[in-house]
Structure formats: C-alpha cells, structure tokens
Amino acid sequence: IRGSPMSGITAPTADIQPVGTVLALNGLPTTQVGGYPAVARLTQDLPGTLAGIYTLNQNDLAAYSRYIVAGTWACVMGRSQNTDQGIADLQLDGVSFGTVDAYGATGVGFLVAAASMVVATSGVHVVRYIVSTKNVLSSSYQFLCFGLWLTRTA
C-alpha cells in the first residue's frame, strides 16, 4: 500500500527458515480470548519462572501470527497438568493438527506435548490453541500454556 509502513516490503526469495529453524511462540499472543498472562513458579528440578497464558473457560484461546515457510514443522507445547485442566486443540490457520489433554490425577508444573503440522505455502500464518473441551474426569476448562515452539523438520 503506497505511503504505508508496509510499502516496498517484498516476500523473501531465499529459504530464510531452513530445516532445524526454531520459532518461539511464547510471551503475549497476537490474539487472546479469555484468560490472562501468568507467571508460574516451577519445581526445584527446573528453577525459575516462566511466563504463560492461563485460560479459564471453554473456548478461551491464544493465537500467534508469524511468517512461516512451507514445510513440515514439529510443534512442542510447554504446559501444566492438574485435575482441573481442559483439552486444547492446536490449529494452523483454523485447521486442527493436534490436541493436548492437560488433565492429570496429580498436578505437574511443567510437561511437554508434541504434534506435527504441515505448512503448504510460505506466508503469515496463525498458530493457535483453543480450549474447546475437557477430559470427562476434569473439573474445569483451565489450561496453562508456557509457550509453543515450532521446529522445521522438512
């Protein structure tokens, strides 16, 4: 658009995200519905704090818009587990590529869940998780996500 900050910007012609590239989708999301930013104190095995997004209700979500090149990507989510946690649907541009059930009979401060996604075309894409359902044993839809990390595998 002429005169806008975006004028003169063209798409990269080289592969700027080769196999092995890691994109961190953590911190404040591009879009958030419900919930709030949280800082969780971790166990002595993993000391320190991590900022995360803590959702409370059914259909709360966090979305991250990023330029992602075409290819296969492994998606890793850092999250907690407890008796009141929901199930998150991982989505790329609104299409599901995995689910993460954060229910557990005992609380755990930090766990990792993984899924794989295929990006058909290079461009700006939206990676999001939405807590749309819960385990039948869970008492709530809460979900604490510490971040998403994408690693290009092919």
Side-chain angles (χ1 to χ4, degrees), residues 60-75:
D60 282 357
L61 66 88
Y64 299 87
S65 296
R66 295 289 191 277
Y67 183 90
I68 306 173
V69 299
T72 302
W73 294 79
C75 177

Side-chain angles (χ1 to χ4, degrees), residues 98-118:
T99 58
V100 178
D101 187 347
Y103 169 81
T106 58
V108 178
F110 189 86
L111 291 173
V112 173
S116 180
M117 66 180 201
V118 175

Side-chain angles (χ1 to χ4, degrees), residues 67-130:
Y67 183 90
I68 306 173
V69 299
T72 302
W73 294 79
C75 177
V76 174
M77 172 187 268
R79 49 92 179 178
S80 68
Q81 168 186 294
N82 215 329
T83 59
D84 59 357
Q85 302 292 294
I87 297 174
D89 183 30
L90 299 172
Q91 298 179 350
L92 174 66
D93 297 331
V95 178
S96 178
F97 65 87
T99 58
V100 178
D101 187 347
Y103 169 81
T106 58
V108 178
F110 189 86
L111 291 173
V112 173
S116 180
M117 66 180 201
V118 175
V119 177
T121 58
S122 299
V124 176
H125 296 277
V126 177
V127 178
R128 76 177 189 170
Y129 67 90
I130 180 169

